[in-house]
Amino acid sequence: MTFKKISCIALLGVLALTSCAKTPDNVKNENDSSSNINEKISEMGLDVTSLEQMSENVDDYVKSINEFELDNMKFSENLEIDIPTSISTGKYIIPDKYQDNYAKIFSYYDEDFEESKAIDDGTTYPTGPTYTNEDKNLQMSIGCNGFFYYMKDFDSQKYFNESTLIKTYSAGEAKNSDDKYKLENSTSEISVSEAVDIAQEFADDFVKAADYPNEFVVSRVMVFEVEDSYFYEVDYQQSVNGVNILEYNSSYDESLSALVGTGCFAYICGDEVNDFATNCYFDEQEITGEQAEAINLNDVTSYLSQNLAGKMNLEVKRIALEYCMMYDGNSKESTESESDVSFTYTSYNIYDAQVCWVYYFDETPGAEVFAMVSCDDMSINYVDNRGA
């Protein structure tokens, strides 16, 4: 059994279940039970605030946090804060048999879809057909676990092997950027903010056309140079029940080996999306409750700073209250087709959706730096993917 060939090497990094993070010795990791959290919060002097109130006052939090004077953190002038109004707590599961939707989805992207060209030889995972229309230079593939990719007028060899990353924009920076680049297949320059709009529109359209249960929101934009022109890679976070999922793995500390990131991206080489892929989606498995409040964002920010080493010179680009998906086993034994693969997003995998404040310091591809503050026990994990 082999993995399906997909259109971007960036997604391959999240296929194996070997993700982890580096947590420096100075970071405090508490292991109190949830029954003691209220007492612990009270002892710390931390304020609990409703998510609805914090969400409604995001602009005030941006202003107040930018006025913080901390010796180890500063804040971007384009600081972006995302706070959902409520969060479903519990576990999520990777689906099976999503490939049953292949005819509907393939037909949507190719009005000349021919059933005979949808091939599934049973030797690849995730299971499901791949479709090619050579006349239109179009290829698509779908998988049982919610995997999907779309590639049209896209030169994989050129864009993957003959290009150079020149700049990365966080979500907030990208949405506000007027920087323009002459793209490979465009007659005019396209701005970074326009690329965000193109990518978001494509993802929203896919969700609607494919009856996809999870949504997508742009998280970062990368500009690549190829020959004498450019192209964009736009990465997304998945969103389930209105809450974004942390998309980045961690790479150097086995204490977070259960943490899994999601993968979804679009490549824009002209006036449209030429390449799009997502690796899975998450269904509800066991929703145990609804979280309507959390530690006040100002207090969390101060708490994080106090528990990180001084003089770290970290710049916060964005802060978000998100799901951090932790692998929690498989609900049934592997099927015959899955028995010889080691795949993060195997059908029936269960994930504990831990709610965390996530502070993003650097989103350079493969070298991300961020911190997670658990809403359950206020434990902190500092993740540095730049290396040991």
Side-chain angles (χ1 to χ4, degrees), residues 273-312:
V273 168
N274 301 97
D275 191 54
F276 173 86
T278 182
N279 55 15
C280 71
Y281 69 77
F282 297 86
D283 271 334
E284 292 183 1
Q285 166 71 4
E286 182 183 357
I287 300 302
T288 57
E290 197 79 13
Q291 180 172 327
E293 57 184 22
I295 304 299
N296 184 279
L297 181 55
N298 287 340
D299 284 358
V300 175
T301 302
S302 297
Y303 174 81
L304 175 61
S305 175
Q306 291 166 8
N307 287 278
L308 291 177
K311 309 302 181 184
M312 292 184 75

Side-chain angles (χ1 to χ4, degrees), residues 108 135 174 376 382:
Y108 179 79
D135 292 336
D376 286 338
Y382 173 80

Side-chain angles (χ1 to χ4, degrees), residues 101-171:
N101 299 313
Y102 78 91
K104 173 185 176 181
I105 298 171
F106 291 172
S107 296
Y108 179 79
Y109 289 103
D110 184 3
E111 60 184 9
D112 300 316
F113 170 68
E114 297 180 33
E115 179 75 35
S116 61
K117 293 182 179 180
I119 306 300
D120 182 4
D121 61 9
T123 64
T124 58
Y125 191 83
T127 54
T130 293
Y131 170 78
T132 302
N133 185 328
E134 295 181 355
D135 292 336
K136 296 183 178 181
N137 198 18
L138 171 67
Q139 185 174 16
M140 292 179 283
S141 186
I142 195 169
C144 55
N145 60 353
F147 170 92
F148 176 76
Y149 93 74
Y150 162 98
M151 182 171 64
K152 184 178 181 182
D153 297 327
F154 189 80
D155 187 339
S156 300
Q157 168 64 28
K158 182 175 184 179
Y159 295 128
F160 296 157
N161 300 324
E162 302 172 15
S163 61
T164 303
L165 173 64
I166 63 170
K167 190 167 184 177
T168 300
Y169 296 81
S170 67

